[in-house]
Amino acid sequence: MPTVDVYNVDGKVVGTMDLSEKVFDVEVNKSVMHEVVVNYLANQRQGTQSTLTRTEVRGGGIKPWRQKGTGRARQGSIRAPQWVGGGVAIGPKPRDYSYRVNKKTRQLALKSALSSKVQESELIVLEGLDVNEYKTKAIANILSNLNVTEKALIVLPENNKMIVNSARNIRGVDTTFVGAINTYEVLNHTKCIILKDAVTKLEEVYA
């Protein structure tokens, strides 16, 4: 069972916490994490790119010249793909790139990501985070006290608009909560700062 230090907002160790082996100490499965990350990125694609085919480009309704006798290649429309200003032969059209991944696979990938953070000493457990006003400086000071200078993900037990809005202007810092955490976010940030209550909730959900 892994044990980590618990810090307060001043960056001082105020205790230790035992983490669940079923969530924070599983065998890291890189292939599963890769599969889930690819799925996440595919689901983020809008798929709204579009090009015009020869039937959609305005104009070109008349045959540019007669079929025979001119010495030039036969042409049926000035909006054919070989013409400048013509349509695109096989261009992209709006489509849905999303697909589903098995629930157990997603859970295993998240556990692997959290376990890798523990193994690499990149997970920080925070005793609490009380922000009484919308102030970016308050979050910035806490990160400074924790010596966090890399990209960081703050995991809250539940959505807190005040903390989210206070942290969103800090470059490289993102926030999420237990109900919305995903593998990509965990792996895309060097440091993972999890509130103590969020750790308990994660263990309740995934253990």
Side-chain angles (χ1 to χ4, degrees):
M1 180 179 290
T3 301
V4 294
D5 293 330
V6 178
Y7 295 84
N8 61 14
V9 293
D10 296 322
K12 297 180 180 178
V13 178
V14 293
T16 59
M17 184 176 189
D18 293 330
L19 302 177
S20 172
E21 295 178 348
K22 296 181 179 179
V23 180
F24 295 95
D25 194 26
V26 302
E27 183 180 352
V28 177
N29 192 321
K30 292 184 179 180
S31 62
V32 169
M33 288 194 295
H34 177 267
E35 179 184 353
V36 172
V37 167
V38 170
N39 169 250
Y40 175 84
L41 294 175
N43 292 346
Q44 300 306 303
R45 296 184 67 174
Q46 290 185 337
T48 54
Q49 73 275 41
S50 182
T51 53
L52 300 180
T53 64
R54 61 184 295 167
T55 62
E56 297 168 323
V57 180
R58 182 179 176 85
I62 191 172
K63 189 174 175 66
W65 52 77
R66 61 195 176 94
Q67 181 83 344
K68 293 177 178 292
T70 64
R72 290 180 289 186
R74 54 193 175 190
Q75 300 291 333
S77 171
I78 61 171
R79 293 297 179 249
Q82 72 271 20
W83 284 73
V84 174
V88 177
I90 309 175
K93 283 292 183 182
R95 57 169 287 193
D96 183 12
Y97 289 92
S98 65
Y99 63 96
R100 291 184 61 82
V101 169
N102 185 283
K103 181 180 178 180
K104 289 186 177 180
T105 302
R106 296 198 307 269
Q107 290 180 346
L108 176 59
L110 180 59
K111 292 177 184 179
S112 294
L114 292 171
S115 298
S116 69
K117 290 299 179 185
V118 174
Q119 294 173 12
E120 296 168 10
S121 301
E122 293 178 347
L123 185 138
I124 299 173
V125 177
L126 197 60
E127 183 180 32
L129 184 58
D130 296 324
V131 178
N132 301 320
E133 57 182 334
Y134 292 99
K135 201 163 188 178
T136 301
K137 190 175 182 181
I139 302 296
N141 287 338
I142 294 172
L143 295 174
S144 177
N145 293 336
L146 294 171
N147 295 320
V148 175
T149 57
E150 309 93 337
K151 291 180 67 176
L153 177 68
I154 301 174
V155 183
L156 308 171
E158 56 191 17
N159 194 16
N160 187 315
K161 189 176 180 181
M162 190 167 290
I163 295 176
V164 171
N165 289 346
S166 298
R168 68 181 180 182
N169 286 333
I170 305 176
R171 186 172 185 177
V173 175
D174 294 303
T175 55
T176 188
F177 58 99
V178 173
I181 190 172
N182 63 71
T183 305
Y184 175 79
E185 286 183 323
V186 175
L187 296 176
N188 194 40
H189 295 80
T190 306
K191 295 290 185 180
C192 189
I193 304 171
I194 306 183
L195 269 66
K196 191 174 181 179
D197 291 343
V199 172
T200 303
K201 279 196 172 185
L202 280 171
E203 292 177 346
E204 290 176 356
V205 173
Y206 294 101

